[in-house]
């Protein structure tokens, strides 16, 4: 059975938490595509910077690094994510993952628009910038104003790039989690998926 759930949205909207819960509930495989860009950004930064070579030579060890969730890695990711050759190098792996047997959940920015426009379910998970920055601050700590600035700068870069910009697919269901508990957001996502599995 091929069944793809595409979950896109801005930084720290809750995509990862929802994706993991949905994958566990329906027994689907999960791919955090942001981790690919984070790994490329960190690797290129550490190697005197050829992001295209870093993307083409990405290894499981690069994806297992412990520093991928830092604010710096997020910034590095969104800088390399504007480069068409970097996106191209990561495309086939994501497409194959999306159409694997048994069902797949992918979360990112362009899953419903570019990677898997034929996805059976497309969700666009969002929340206000303040709420998202607070959630990220709970995760990484540090200076709250700096975390908000990081989130806002990254969203602007992701939305305004020429290649695969962050935007909801025309047929995506928008879930605004600003005032929702995580349980409620997961339940809303599961309802949409269950509807389309009937
Ligand atoms: O976890 P968070 O939402 O903060 O970010 P992420 O999903 O780990 O993505 C990090 C960065 O990678 C994003 O800001 C994008 O610039 C880039 N990205 C992308 O361009 N396309 C994707 N499908 C996933 C991530």
């Amino acid at each position: 059975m091929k069944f793809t759930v595409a979950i896109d949205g801005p930084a720290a909207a809750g995509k990862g938490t929802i994706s993991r819960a949905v994958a566990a509930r329906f027994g689907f495989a999960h791919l955090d595509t942001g981790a690919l860009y984070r790994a490329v950004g960190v690797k290129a930064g550490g190697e005197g910077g050829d992001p295209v070579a870093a993307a083409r030579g990405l290894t499981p060890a690069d994806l297992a690094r412990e520093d991928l969730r830092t604010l710096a890695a997020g910034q590095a990711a969104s800088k390399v994510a504007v480069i068409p050759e970097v996106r191209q190098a990561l495309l086939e792996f994501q497409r194959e993952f999306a159409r694997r047997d048994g069902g797949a959940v992918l979360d990112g920015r362009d899953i419903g628009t570019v990677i898997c426009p034929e996805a059976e379910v497309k969700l666009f998970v969002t929340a206000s910038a303040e709420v998202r920055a607070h959630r990220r601050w709970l995760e990484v700590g540090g200076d709250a104003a700096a975390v908000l600035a990081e989130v806002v700068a990254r969203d602007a870069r992701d939305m305004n790039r020429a290649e695969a910009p962050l935007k909801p697919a025309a047929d995506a269901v928008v879930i605004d989690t600003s005032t929702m508990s995580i349980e409620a957001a997961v339940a809303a996502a599961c309802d949409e998926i269950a509807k389309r599995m009937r």
Side-chain angles (χ1 to χ4, degrees):
M1 179 211 53
K2 301 205 190 303
F3 192 95
T4 311
V5 181
I7 304 188
D8 292 305
K15 302 181 299 291
T17 309
I18 293 173
S19 300
R20 283 189 294 275
V22 157
R25 156 84 191 275
F26 292 95
F28 296 158
H30 171 225
L31 179 64
D32 167 9
T33 66
L36 304 175
Y37 291 91
R38 286 172 181 267
V40 171
V42 169
K43 193 177 185 189
E47 271 177 11
D50 183 349
V52 178
R56 289 182 182 150
L58 209 60
T59 65
D62 297 328
L63 293 168
R65 289 178 66 132
E66 281 181 4
D67 54 354
L68 297 186
R69 294 302 306 165
T70 62
L71 293 188
Q75 282 294 332
S78 78
K79 287 179 185 160
V80 299
V82 306
I83 304 168
E85 292 83 0
V86 166
R87 307 198 71 84
Q88 185 62 38
L90 303 175
L91 187 81
E92 210 44 50
F93 174 70
Q94 295 177 81
R95 285 213 169 130
E96 273 171 27
F97 193 98
R99 299 317 278 171
R100 74 200 308 204
D101 270 327
V105 185
L106 288 83
D107 72 285
R109 302 293 185 285
D110 62 341
I111 309 305
T113 51
V114 175
I115 301 297
C116 196
E118 71 276 25
E120 280 75 10
V121 181
K122 295 181 191 177
L123 305 177
F124 192 84
V125 179
T126 188
S128 72
E130 289 71 23
V131 166
R132 292 185 290 109
H134 182 66
R135 289 180 188 155
R136 185 50 42 91
W137 177 77
L138 291 175
E139 188 188 341
V140 298
D143 175 31
V147 175
L148 175 61
E150 194 276 339
V151 161
V152 169
R154 194 144 58 86
D155 286 349
R157 198 178 293 122
D158 291 347
M159 289 187 292
N160 294 315
R161 68 184 176 217
E163 188 87 2
L166 167 66
K167 61 172 181 202
D171 51 350
V173 174
V174 177
I175 301 178
D176 187 331
T177 67
S178 299
T179 59
M180 269 177 157
S181 67
I182 189 62
E183 292 78 15
V186 169
C190 288
D191 283 353
E192 287 302 327
I193 296 163
K195 254 196 253 171
R196 286 172 177 77
M197 286 182 89
R198 283 192 208 119

